[in-house]
Amino acid sequence: MSEAEALERLDRTAAVLAAAEEGERERVRAVHAVLWQGEFASLMESLGEEERERLIEQLTLLVGEFGNSDAPSGGALSGNTFHGPTAVQTGDHNRQENHFGSGG
């Protein structure tokens, strides 16, 4: 994908996100995040090691500058011990129903 094509796709993504209704915004954002993850993965695979390292540095700076500081960080569990059925959920605006045992 050329730079012009990438910029055009970014503009389309921004327009779709801006037009999404509040109830659909998170789903639309998640769909576009997956699409862009694929694009970045393809780009990373096409680069040499030095270019890849330089891109990672630049992306890290962008995340620091434009990242959502209100977003929950991590989503990692550490130092926990689970015995038996366990359900863990992270993120905002999620719904989870768990049914353990023979009645589940």
Side-chain angles (χ1 to χ4, degrees):
M1 170 184 330
S2 72
E3 182 178 348
E5 291 169 328
L7 290 172
E8 185 178 316
R9 283 190 60 196
L10 279 171
D11 287 341
R12 284 195 311 260
T13 296
V16 169
L17 289 170
E21 294 186 20
E22 188 173 336
E24 288 289 305
R25 195 166 293 135
E26 184 61 27
R27 184 191 63 78
V28 171
R29 187 208 59 78
V31 167
H32 282 271
V34 169
L35 294 173
W36 281 103
Q37 284 173 350
E39 290 296 331
F40 278 109
S42 294
L43 173 63
M44 297 288 282
E45 289 175 4
S46 71
L47 298 175
E49 189 173 338
E50 284 184 30
E51 291 174 307
R52 189 176 309 124
E53 291 299 321
R54 194 167 42 249
L55 178 60
I56 290 169
E57 288 174 18
Q58 292 298 312
L59 289 172
T60 302
L61 291 172
L62 283 172
V63 168
E65 186 175 343
F66 294 103
N68 184 353
S69 61
D70 294 335
S73 62
L77 294 174
S78 176
N80 296 290
T81 303
F82 302 102
H83 301 280
T86 304
V88 177
Q89 179 175 337
T90 62
D92 294 331
H93 311 295
N94 294 310
R95 179 174 179 214
Q96 181 179 40
E97 291 184 26
N98 300 303
H99 303 277
F100 297 111
S102 60

Coordinates of all heavy atoms in Angstrom, one line a residue:
M1 N 0.9 -1.2 0.0 CA 0.0 0.0 0.0 C 0.9 1.2 0.0 O 1.8 1.3 0.8 CB -0.9 0.0 1.2 CG -1.7 1.2 1.5 SD -2.7 1.4 3.0 CE -3.2 -0.3 3.4
S2 N 0.6 2.2 -0.9 CA 1.4 3.4 -0.9 C 1.0 4.3 0.2 O 0.0 4.1 0.9 CB 1.1 4.1 -2.3 OG -0.1 4.7 -2.3
E3 N 1.8 5.3 0.4 CA 1.6 6.3 1.5 C 0.2 7.0 1.2 O -0.6 7.2 2.2 CB 2.7 7.3 1.6 CG 2.5 8.3 2.7 CD 3.7 9.3 2.8 OE1 4.7 9.1 2.2 OE2 3.5 10.3 3.5
A4 N 0.0 7.4 0.0 CA -1.3 8.1 -0.3 C -2.5 7.2 -0.1 O -3.5 7.6 0.5 CB -1.3 8.5 -1.8
E5 N -2.4 5.9 -0.4 CA -3.5 4.9 -0.1 C -3.7 4.8 1.4 O -4.8 4.7 1.8 CB -3.1 3.6 -0.8 CG -3.2 3.6 -2.3 CD -2.6 2.3 -2.8 OE1 -1.7 1.7 -2.2 OE2 -3.1 1.9 -3.9
A6 N -2.6 4.7 2.1 CA -2.7 4.5 3.6 C -3.4 5.8 4.2 O -4.2 5.6 5.1 CB -1.3 4.3 4.2
L7 N -3.0 7.0 3.7 CA -3.6 8.2 4.3 C -5.1 8.3 3.9 O -5.9 8.7 4.8 CB -2.8 9.4 3.7 CG -1.4 9.6 4.3 CD1 -0.7 10.7 3.6 CD2 -1.4 9.9 5.8
E8 N -5.4 7.8 2.7 CA -6.8 7.8 2.3 C -7.6 6.8 3.2 O -8.7 7.1 3.7 CB -6.9 7.4 0.9 CG -8.4 7.5 0.3 CD -8.4 7.1 -1.1 OE1 -7.6 7.6 -1.9 OE2 -9.3 6.3 -1.5
R9 N -7.0 5.6 3.5 CA -7.7 4.7 4.3 C -7.8 5.2 5.8 O -8.8 5.0 6.4 CB -7.0 3.3 4.3 CG -7.2 2.6 3.0 CD -6.7 1.2 3.1 NE -7.4 0.4 4.2 CZ -6.9 -0.7 4.6 NH1 -5.8 -1.3 4.1 NH2 -7.5 -1.3 5.6
L10 N -6.8 5.9 6.3 CA -6.9 6.5 7.6 C -8.0 7.5 7.7 O -8.8 7.6 8.6 CB -5.6 7.1 8.0 CG -4.5 6.2 8.5 CD1 -3.2 7.0 8.6 CD2 -4.9 5.6 9.8
D11 N -8.1 8.3 6.6 CA -9.2 9.3 6.6 C -10.6 8.6 6.5 O -11.5 9.0 7.2 CB -9.1 10.2 5.3 CG -8.0 11.2 5.4 OD1 -7.5 11.5 6.6 OD2 -7.6 11.7 4.4
R12 N -10.7 7.5 5.8 CA -12.0 6.8 5.8 C -12.3 6.2 7.1 O -13.4 6.2 7.6 CB -11.9 5.7 4.7 CG -12.1 6.2 3.3 CD -12.4 5.1 2.3 NE -11.5 4.0 2.3 CZ -10.5 3.7 1.5 NH1 -10.2 4.6 0.6 NH2 -9.8 2.7 1.6
T13 N -11.2 5.6 7.8 CA -11.4 5.0 9.1 C -11.9 6.1 10.1 O -12.9 5.9 10.8 CB -10.1 4.4 9.6 OG1 -9.8 3.3 8.8 CG2 -10.3 3.9 11.0
A14 N -11.3 7.3 10.0 CA -11.7 8.4 10.9 C -13.1 8.8 10.7 O -13.9 9.0 11.6 CB -10.7 9.6 10.7
A15 N -13.5 8.8 9.4 CA -14.9 9.2 9.0 C -15.9 8.2 9.5 O -17.0 8.6 10.0 CB -15.0 9.4 7.5
V16 N -15.6 6.9 9.4 CA -16.5 5.9 9.8 C -16.6 5.9 11.3 O -17.7 5.8 11.9 CB -16.0 4.5 9.4 CG1 -16.7 3.4 10.0 CG2 -16.1 4.4 7.8
L17 N -15.5 6.1 12.0 CA -15.6 6.2 13.5 C -16.4 7.4 14.0 O -17.2 7.4 14.9 CB -14.2 6.3 14.1 CG -13.4 5.0 14.0 CD1 -11.9 5.2 14.4 CD2 -14.0 3.9 14.9
A18 N -16.2 8.6 13.3 CA -16.9 9.8 13.6 C -18.4 9.6 13.4 O -19.3 10.2 14.1 CB -16.4 11.0 12.9
A19 N -18.8 8.9 12.3 CA -20.2 8.7 12.0 C -20.9 7.6 12.8 O -22.1 7.6 12.8 CB -20.3 8.4 10.5
A20 N -20.1 6.8 13.5 CA -20.8 5.7 14.2 C -21.6 6.2 15.4 O -21.2 7.1 16.1 CB -19.7 4.7 14.7
E21 N -22.7 5.6 15.5 CA -23.6 6.0 16.7 C -22.9 5.5 18.0 O -22.2 4.5 18.0 CB -25.0 5.4 16.5 CG -25.7 6.0 15.3 CD -27.1 5.5 15.2 OE1 -27.7 5.1 16.3 OE2 -27.7 5.6 14.1
E22 N -23.3 6.2 19.0 CA -22.6 5.9 20.3 C -22.7 4.4 20.7 O -21.7 3.8 21.2 CB -23.2 6.7 21.4 CG -22.5 6.6 22.7 CD -23.0 7.6 23.8 OE1 -23.6 8.6 23.4 OE2 -22.8 7.3 25.0
G23 N -23.8 3.8 20.5 CA -23.9 2.3 20.8 C -23.1 1.4 20.0 O -22.8 0.3 20.4
E24 N -22.7 1.9 18.8 CA -22.0 1.0 17.9 C -20.5 1.4 17.8 O -19.7 0.7 17.2 CB -22.6 1.2 16.5 CG -23.9 0.5 16.3 CD -23.7 -1.0 16.3 OE1 -22.9 -1.6 15.5 OE2 -24.4 -1.7 17.1
R25 N -20.1 2.5 18.4 CA -18.8 3.0 18.3 C -17.7 2.0 18.7 O -16.7 1.9 18.0 CB -18.6 4.3 19.1 CG -17.4 5.1 18.7 CD -17.5 6.6 19.2 NE -18.6 7.3 18.5 CZ -19.4 8.1 19.1 NH1 -19.4 8.2 20.4 NH2 -20.4 8.7 18.5
E26 N -17.9 1.4 19.8 CA -16.9 0.4 20.3 C -16.7 -0.8 19.3 O -15.6 -1.2 19.1 CB -17.2 -0.1 21.7 CG -16.1 -1.0 22.3 CD -14.8 -0.3 22.5 OE1 -14.7 1.0 22.6 OE2 -13.8 -1.0 22.5
R27 N -17.8 -1.3 18.8 CA -17.7 -2.4 17.9 C -17.0 -1.9 16.6 O -16.1 -2.6 16.1 CB -19.1 -2.9 17.5 CG -19.1 -4.1 16.6 CD -20.5 -4.5 16.1 NE -21.0 -3.4 15.3 CZ -20.7 -3.2 14.0 NH1 -19.8 -4.0 13.4 NH2 -21.3 -2.3 13.3
V28 N -17.4 -0.8 16.1 CA -16.7 -0.2 14.8 C -15.2 0.0 15.1 O -14.4 -0.3 14.2 CB -17.4 1.1 14.4 CG1 -16.7 1.7 13.3 CG2 -18.9 0.8 14.0
R29 N -14.9 0.5 16.2 CA -13.5 0.8 16.6 C -12.7 -0.5 16.6 O -11.6 -0.6 16.1 CB -13.4 1.5 17.9 CG -11.9 1.9 18.2 CD -11.7 2.0 19.7 NE -11.9 0.7 20.4 CZ -11.1 -0.3 20.4 NH1 -10.0 -0.3 19.8 NH2 -11.4 -1.4 21.1
A30 N -13.3 -1.6 17.2 CA -12.7 -2.9 17.3 C -12.4 -3.5 15.9 O -11.4 -4.0 15.6 CB -13.5 -3.8 18.2
V31 N -13.4 -3.4 15.0 CA -13.3 -3.9 13.7 C -12.1 -3.2 13.0 O -11.3 -3.8 12.4 CB -14.6 -3.7 12.9 CG1 -14.4 -4.0 11.4 CG2 -15.6 -4.7 13.4
H32 N -12.1 -1.9 13.0 CA -11.0 -1.1 12.4 C -9.7 -1.4 13.0 O -8.6 -1.4 12.3 CB -11.4 0.4 12.3 CG -12.4 0.6 11.2 ND1 -12.0 0.9 9.9 CD2 -13.7 0.6 11.2 CE1 -13.1 1.1 9.2 NE2 -14.1 0.9 10.0
A33 N -9.6 -1.6 14.3 CA -8.4 -1.9 15.0 C -7.8 -3.2 14.4 O -6.6 -3.3 14.2 CB -8.6 -2.0 16.5
V34 N -8.6 -4.2 14.2 CA -8.2 -5.5 13.7 C -7.6 -5.3 12.3 O -6.6 -5.8 11.9 CB -9.3 -6.5 13.7 CG1 -8.9 -7.8 12.9 CG2 -9.6 -6.9 15.2
L35 N -8.3 -4.5 11.5 CA -7.9 -4.2 10.1 C -6.5 -3.5 10.1 O -5.6 -3.9 9.3 CB -8.9 -3.4 9.4 CG -10.3 -4.0 9.1 CD1 -11.2 -3.0 8.5 CD2 -10.1 -5.2 8.2
W36 N -6.4 -2.5 11.0 CA -5.1 -1.8 11.0 C -4.0 -2.7 11.6 O -2.8 -2.5 11.2 CB -5.2 -0.5 11.7 CG -5.9 0.5 10.7 CD1 -7.1 0.9 10.7 CD2 -5.2 1.1 9.6 NE1 -7.4 1.8 9.7 CE2 -6.2 1.9 9.0 CE3 -3.9 1.1 9.1 CZ2 -5.9 2.7 7.8 CZ3 -3.7 1.8 8.0 CH2 -4.6 2.6 7.4
Q37 N -4.3 -3.6 12.5 CA -3.3 -4.5 13.1 C -2.7 -5.3 11.9 O -1.5 -5.6 11.9 CB -3.9 -5.4 14.1 CG -4.1 -4.7 15.5 CD -4.8 -5.5 16.5 OE1 -5.3 -6.6 16.2 NE2 -4.8 -5.0 17.7
G38 N -3.6 -5.8 11.0 CA -3.1 -6.6 9.9 C -2.2 -5.8 9.0 O -1.2 -6.3 8.5
E39 N -2.6 -4.5 8.8 CA -1.8 -3.7 7.9 C -0.4 -3.4 8.5 O 0.6 -3.5 7.9 CB -2.4 -2.3 7.7 CG -3.7 -2.4 6.8 CD -3.3 -2.8 5.4 OE1 -2.2 -2.5 4.9 OE2 -4.2 -3.4 4.8
F40 N -0.4 -3.2 9.8 CA 0.9 -2.9 10.5 C 1.8 -4.2 10.5 O 3.0 -4.2 10.4 CB 0.7 -2.4 11.9 CG 0.5 -0.9 11.9 CD1 -0.7 -0.4 12.2 CD2 1.6 0.0 11.7 CE1 -0.9 1.0 12.2 CE2 1.4 1.3 11.7 CZ 0.1 1.8 12.0
A41 N 1.1 -5.4 10.7 CA 1.8 -6.6 10.7 C 2.5 -6.9 9.4 O 3.6 -7.3 9.3 CB 0.9 -7.8 11.1
S42 N 1.7 -6.6 8.3 CA 2.3 -6.8 6.9 C 3.5 -5.8 6.7 O 4.5 -6.2 6.1 CB 1.2 -6.5 5.9 OG 0.2 -7.5 5.9
L43 N 3.3 -4.6 7.1 CA 4.4 -3.6 7.0 C 5.6 -4.1 7.8 O 6.7 -4.0 7.2 CB 3.9 -2.3 7.5 CG 5.0 -1.2 7.6 CD1 5.5 -0.9 6.2 CD2 4.4 0.1 8.3
M44 N 5.4 -4.5 9.0 CA 6.6 -5.0 9.8 C 7.3 -6.1 9.2 O 8.5 -6.2 9.2 CB 6.1 -5.4 11.2 CG 5.5 -4.2 12.0 SD 6.6 -3.0 12.6 CE 7.3 -3.9 14.0
E45 N 6.5 -7.1 8.6 CA 7.2 -8.2 8.0 C 8.0 -7.8 6.7 O 8.9 -8.5 6.4 CB 6.1 -9.2 7.6 CG 5.5 -9.9 8.8 CD 4.4 -10.9 8.4 OE1 4.1 -11.0 7.2 OE2 3.7 -11.4 9.3
S46 N 7.6 -6.7 6.1 CA 8.2 -6.4 4.8 C 9.5 -5.5 5.1 O 10.3 -5.3 4.2 CB 7.3 -5.5 4.0 OG 7.1 -4.3 4.5
L47 N 9.8 -5.1 6.3 CA 10.9 -4.3 6.6 C 12.1 -5.1 7.1 O 12.0 -6.2 7.6 CB 10.6 -3.3 7.8 CG 9.4 -2.3 7.5 CD1 9.1 -1.5 8.7 CD2 9.8 -1.4 6.3
G48 N 13.3 -4.5 6.9 CA 14.5 -5.1 7.4 C 14.6 -4.8 8.9 O 13.8 -4.0 9.4
E49 N 15.5 -5.4 9.6 CA 15.6 -5.3 11.0 C 15.8 -3.9 11.5 O 15.1 -3.4 12.4 CB 16.7 -6.2 11.6 CG 16.7 -6.3 13.1 CD 17.7 -7.3 13.6 OE1 18.1 -8.2 12.9 OE2 18.1 -7.1 14.8
E50 N 16.7 -3.1 10.9 CA 16.9 -1.7 11.3 C 15.7 -0.9 11.0 O 15.3 -0.1 11.9 CB 18.1 -1.1 10.5 CG 19.4 -1.6 11.0 CD 20.6 -0.9 10.3 OE1 20.4 0.2 9.9 OE2 21.6 -1.6 10.2
E51 N 15.0 -1.0 9.9 CA 13.8 -0.3 9.6 C 12.7 -0.6 10.6 O 12.0 0.2 11.1 CB 13.3 -0.5 8.2 CG 14.2 0.0 7.1 CD 13.8 -0.4 5.7 OE1 13.6 -1.6 5.5 OE2 13.6 0.5 4.9
R52 N 12.6 -1.9 10.9 CA 11.6 -2.4 11.9 C 11.8 -1.7 13.2 O 10.9 -1.3 13.9 CB 11.6 -3.9 12.0 CG 10.5 -4.5 12.7 CD 10.5 -6.0 12.7 NE 10.6 -6.5 11.4 CZ 11.5 -7.4 11.0 NH1 12.4 -7.8 11.9 NH2 11.5 -7.8 9.8
E53 N 13.1 -1.7 13.7 CA 13.4 -1.1 15.0 C 13.1 0.4 15.0 O 12.5 0.9 16.0 CB 14.8 -1.3 15.4 CG 15.2 -2.8 15.7 CD 14.4 -3.3 16.9 OE1 14.2 -2.6 17.9 OE2 14.0 -4.5 16.8
R54 N 13.4 1.1 13.9 CA 13.1 2.5 13.8 C 11.6 2.7 13.8 O 11.1 3.6 14.5 CB 13.7 3.1 12.5 CG 13.7 4.6 12.5 CD 14.6 5.2 11.4 NE 14.5 4.5 10.1 CZ 15.5 3.8 9.6 NH1 16.6 3.6 10.2 NH2 15.4 3.3 8.4
L55 N 10.8 1.9 13.1 CA 9.4 2.0 13.1 C 8.8 1.8 14.5 O 7.9 2.5 15.0 CB 8.7 1.0 12.1 CG 7.2 1.0 12.0 CD1 6.7 2.4 11.6 CD2 6.7 0.0 11.1
I56 N 9.3 0.8 15.2 CA 8.8 0.5 16.6 C 9.0 1.7 17.5 O 8.2 2.1 18.3 CB 9.5 -0.8 17.1 CG1 8.9 -2.0 16.4 CG2 9.2 -0.9 18.6 CD1 9.7 -3.3 16.7
E57 N 10.2 2.3 17.4 CA 10.5 3.5 18.2 C 9.5 4.6 17.9 O 9.0 5.3 18.8 CB 11.9 4.0 17.9 CG 13.0 3.1 18.5 CD 14.4 3.5 18.0 OE1 14.6 4.7 17.6 OE2 15.3 2.7 18.2
Q58 N 9.3 4.8 16.6 CA 8.4 5.9 16.2 C 6.9 5.6 16.6 O 6.2 6.5 17.1 CB 8.4 6.1 14.7 CG 9.7 6.7 14.1 CD 10.0 8.0 14.7 OE1 9.1 8.9 14.7 NE2 11.2 8.2 15.2
L59 N 6.5 4.4 16.5 CA 5.1 4.0 17.0 C 5.0 4.2 18.5 O 4.0 4.6 19.0 CB 4.8 2.6 16.5 CG 4.5 2.4 15.0 CD1 4.4 0.9 14.7 CD2 3.3 3.2 14.6
T60 N 6.1 3.8 19.2 CA 6.0 4.0 20.7 C 5.9 5.4 21.0 O 5.2 5.8 22.0 CB 7.3 3.4 21.3 OG1 7.4 2.0 20.9 CG2 7.3 3.5 22.8
L61 N 6.6 6.3 20.3 CA 6.5 7.7 20.6 C 5.1 8.2 20.3 O 4.5 9.0 21.0 CB 7.5 8.5 19.7 CG 9.0 8.4 20.1 CD1 9.9 9.0 19.1 CD2 9.2 8.9 21.5
L62 N 4.5 7.8 19.2 CA 3.1 8.2 18.8 C 2.1 7.7 19.9 O 1.2 8.4 20.3 CB 2.7 7.6 17.5 CG 3.3 8.3 16.3 CD1 3.0 7.5 15.0 CD2 2.7 9.7 16.2
V63 N 2.3 6.5 20.4 CA 1.4 6.0 21.4 C 1.5 6.9 22.7 O 0.5 7.2 23.3 CB 1.7 4.5 21.7 CG1 0.9 4.1 23.0 CG2 1.3 3.6 20.6
G64 N 2.7 7.2 23.0 CA 2.9 8.1 24.2 C 2.3 9.5 24.0 O 1.8 10.1 24.9
E65 N 2.4 10.0 22.8 CA 1.9 11.3 22.5 C 0.3 11.3 22.3 O -0.3 12.2 22.8 CB 2.5 11.9 21.2 CG 2.2 13.3 20.9 CD 3.0 13.8 19.7 OE1 4.0 13.2 19.3 OE2 2.5 14.9 19.2
F66 N -0.2 10.3 21.6 CA -1.6 10.3 21.2 C -2.4 9.2 21.9 O -3.6 9.2 21.7 CB -1.8 10.2 19.7 CG -1.2 11.4 19.0 CD1 0.0 11.3 18.3 CD2 -1.9 12.6 18.9 CE1 0.5 12.4 17.6 CE2 -1.4 13.7 18.3 CZ -0.2 13.6 17.6
G67 N -1.8 8.4 22.7 CA -2.5 7.3 23.3 C -3.6 7.8 24.3 O -3.5 9.0 24.8
N68 N -4.5 7.0 24.6 CA -5.6 7.4 25.4 C -5.2 7.2 26.9 O -5.1 6.1 27.4 CB -6.9 6.6 25.1 CG -8.1 7.0 25.9 OD1 -8.0 7.8 26.8 ND2 -9.2 6.4 25.6
S69 N -4.9 8.3 27.6 CA -4.4 8.2 29.0 C -5.5 7.7 29.9 O -5.3 7.3 31.0 CB -3.8 9.5 29.4 OG -4.8 10.5 29.4
D70 N -6.8 7.9 29.5 CA -7.9 7.4 30.3 C -8.2 6.0 30.1 O -9.0 5.4 30.9 CB -9.2 8.2 30.0 CG -9.0 9.7 30.3 OD1 -8.2 10.0 31.2 OD2 -9.7 10.5 29.6
A71 N -7.6 5.3 29.1 CA -7.9 3.9 28.9 C -7.2 3.1 30.0 O -6.2 3.4 30.5 CB -7.3 3.5 27.5
P72 N -7.9 2.0 30.3 CA -7.3 1.1 31.3 C -6.0 0.5 30.8 O -5.9 0.2 29.6 CB -8.3 0.0 31.5 CG -9.3 0.1 30.4 CD -9.2 1.5 29.8
S73 N -5.0 0.4 31.6 CA -3.7 -0.1 31.1 C -3.7 -1.6 31.5 O -4.2 -2.0 32.5 CB -2.6 0.6 31.8 OG -2.6 0.5 33.2
G74 N -3.0 -2.3 30.6 CA -2.7 -3.7 30.9 C -3.8 -4.6 30.5 O -4.1 -4.8 29.4
G75 N -4.5 -5.2 31.5 CA -5.4 -6.3 31.2 C -4.7 -7.5 31.6 O -5.1 -8.6 31.2
A76 N -3.6 -7.4 32.3 CA -2.8 -8.6 32.7 C -3.2 -9.0 34.1 O -3.5 -8.2 35.0 CB -1.3 -8.3 32.6
L77 N -3.0 -10.3 34.4 CA -3.2 -10.8 35.7 C -1.8 -11.2 36.2 O -1.1 -11.8 35.5 CB -4.1 -12.0 35.7 CG -5.6 -11.7 35.4 CD1 -6.3 -13.0 35.3 CD2 -6.2 -10.8 36.4
S78 N -1.5 -11.0 37.4 CA -0.2 -11.3 38.0 C -0.3 -11.8 39.4 O -1.0 -11.1 40.2 CB 0.7 -10.2 37.9 OG 2.0 -10.5 38.4
G79 N 0.3 -12.9 39.7 CA 0.3 -13.3 41.1 C -1.0 -13.9 41.6 O -1.2 -14.0 42.8
N80 N -1.8 -14.4 40.7 CA -3.1 -15.0 41.1 C -3.0 -16.5 41.1 O -2.3 -17.1 40.3 CB -4.2 -14.5 40.1 CG -4.4 -13.0 40.2 OD1 -4.9 -12.5 41.2 ND2 -4.0 -12.3 39.2
T81 N -3.8 -17.1 41.9 CA -3.9 -18.6 42.0 C -5.4 -18.9 41.8 O -6.2 -18.4 42.6 CB -3.4 -19.1 43.3 OG1 -2.0 -18.7 43.4 CG2 -3.4 -20.7 43.3
F82 N -5.7 -19.7 40.9 CA -7.1 -20.1 40.6 C -7.2 -21.6 40.9 O -6.4 -22.4 40.4 CB -7.5 -19.8 39.2 CG -7.3 -18.3 38.8 CD1 -6.2 -17.9 38.1 CD2 -8.3 -17.4 39.3 CE1 -6.1 -16.6 37.8 CE2 -8.1 -16.1 39.0 CZ -7.0 -15.6 38.2
H83 N -8.2 -22.0 41.6 CA -8.5 -23.4 41.9 C -10.0 -23.6 41.4 O -10.9 -23.1 42.0 CB -8.4 -23.7 43.4 CG -7.0 -23.5 43.9 ND1 -6.0 -24.3 43.7 CD2 -6.5 -22.4 44.6 CE1 -4.9 -23.8 44.3 NE2 -5.2 -22.7 44.8
G84 N -10.1 -24.4 40.4 CA -11.4 -24.7 39.9 C -11.8 -23.7 38.8 O -11.0 -23.0 38.2
P85 N -13.1 -23.7 38.4 CA -13.5 -22.9 37.2 C -13.2 -21.4 37.5 O -13.4 -20.9 38.7 CB -15.0 -23.1 37.2 CG -15.2 -24.4 37.8 CD -14.2 -24.5 38.9
T86 N -12.8 -20.7 36.5 CA -12.4 -19.3 36.7 C -12.8 -18.5 35.4 O -12.7 -19.0 34.3 CB -10.9 -19.1 36.9 OG1 -10.5 -19.9 38.0 CG2 -10.5 -17.7 37.1
A87 N -13.3 -17.3 35.6 CA -13.6 -16.5 34.5 C -13.0 -15.1 34.8 O -13.1 -14.6 35.9 CB -15.1 -16.3 34.3
V88 N -12.3 -14.6 33.8 CA -11.7 -13.3 33.9 C -12.1 -12.4 32.7 O -12.1 -12.9 31.6 CB -10.1 -13.4 34.0 CG1 -9.5 -12.1 34.1 CG2 -9.7 -14.3 35.2
Q89 N -12.4 -11.2 33.0 CA -12.7 -10.3 31.9 C -12.1 -8.9 32.2 O -12.0 -8.4 33.3 CB -14.3 -10.1 31.9 CG -14.7 -9.2 30.8 CD -16.3 -9.1 30.8 OE1 -16.9 -10.1 31.2 NE2 -16.8 -8.1 30.2
T90 N -11.6 -8.3 31.1 CA -11.0 -7.0 31.2 C -11.7 -6.1 30.1 O -12.3 -6.6 29.2 CB -9.5 -7.0 31.0 OG1 -9.2 -7.4 29.7 CG2 -8.8 -7.8 32.0
G91 N -11.5 -4.8 30.3 CA -12.1 -3.9 29.3 C -13.2 -3.1 29.8 O -13.7 -3.3 30.9
D92 N -13.7 -2.2 29.0 CA -14.9 -1.4 29.3 C -16.1 -1.8 28.6 O -16.0 -2.3 27.4 CB -14.5 0.1 29.0 CG -13.4 0.6 29.8 OD1 -13.2 0.1 31.0 OD2 -12.7 1.5 29.3
H93 N -17.2 -1.6 29.2 CA -18.5 -1.8 28.5 C -18.7 -3.3 28.1 O -19.3 -3.5 27.0 CB -18.7 -0.9 27.4 CG -18.4 0.5 27.7 ND1 -19.1 1.3 28.7 CD2 -17.4 1.4 27.3 CE1 -18.6 2.5 28.8 NE2 -17.6 2.6 28.0
N94 N -18.2 -4.2 28.8 CA -18.3 -5.6 28.4 C -19.4 -6.3 29.2 O -19.8 -5.8 30.3 CB -17.0 -6.4 28.7 CG -15.9 -5.9 27.9 OD1 -16.0 -5.8 26.7 ND2 -14.7 -5.6 28.5
R95 N -19.9 -7.4 28.7 CA -20.9 -8.2 29.4 C -20.4 -9.6 29.4 O -19.9 -10.1 28.4 CB -22.2 -8.1 28.7 CG -23.3 -8.9 29.4 CD -24.6 -8.7 28.8 NE -25.5 -9.6 29.5 CZ -26.6 -10.1 28.9 NH1 -26.8 -9.9 27.6 NH2 -27.4 -10.9 29.6
Q96 N -20.5 -10.2 30.6 CA -20.0 -11.6 30.7 C -21.0 -12.4 31.5 O -21.4 -11.9 32.6 CB -18.6 -11.6 31.3 CG -18.1 -13.0 31.5 CD -16.7 -13.0 32.1 OE1 -16.4 -12.2 33.0 NE2 -15.8 -13.8 31.6
E97 N -21.4 -13.6 31.0 CA -22.3 -14.5 31.8 C -21.5 -15.8 31.9 O -21.1 -16.3 30.9 CB -23.6 -14.7 31.1 CG -24.5 -13.5 31.0 CD -25.8 -13.8 30.4 OE1 -26.3 -15.0 30.4 OE2 -26.4 -12.8 29.9
N98 N -21.4 -16.2 33.2 CA -20.7 -17.5 33.4 C -21.6 -18.5 34.1 O -22.3 -18.1 35.1 CB -19.5 -17.3 34.3 CG -18.5 -16.3 33.6 OD1 -18.1 -16.5 32.6 ND2 -18.2 -15.2 34.3
H99 N -21.6 -19.7 33.7 CA -22.4 -20.7 34.3 C -21.4 -21.9 34.5 O -21.0 -22.5 33.6 CB -23.6 -21.2 33.4 CG -24.5 -20.0 33.1 ND1 -25.4 -19.6 33.9 CD2 -24.5 -19.2 32.0 CE1 -26.1 -18.5 33.4 NE2 -25.5 -18.3 32.2
F100 N -21.1 -22.2 35.8 CA -20.3 -23.3 36.1 C -21.1 -24.5 36.7 O -22.1 -24.3 37.3 CB -19.2 -22.9 37.1 CG -18.3 -21.8 36.6 CD1 -18.3 -20.5 37.1 CD2 -17.4 -22.1 35.6 CE1 -17.5 -19.5 36.7 CE2 -16.5 -21.1 35.1 CZ -16.6 -19.8 35.7
G101 N -20.6 -25.7 36.4 CA -21.3 -26.8 37.0 C -22.2 -27.5 36.0 O -22.3 -27.1 34.8
S102 N -22.9 -28.5 36.4 CA -23.8 -29.2 35.5 C -25.0 -28.5 35.0 O -25.5 -28.8 33.9 CB -24.2 -30.5 36.2 OG -25.0 -30.2 37.3
G103 N -25.4 -27.4 35.7 CA -26.5 -26.6 35.2 C -26.1 -25.6 34.2 O -27.0 -24.8 33.7
G104 N -24.8 -25.4 33.9 CA -24.3 -24.4 33.0 C -24.6 -24.7 31.6 O -24.8 -24.0 30.7

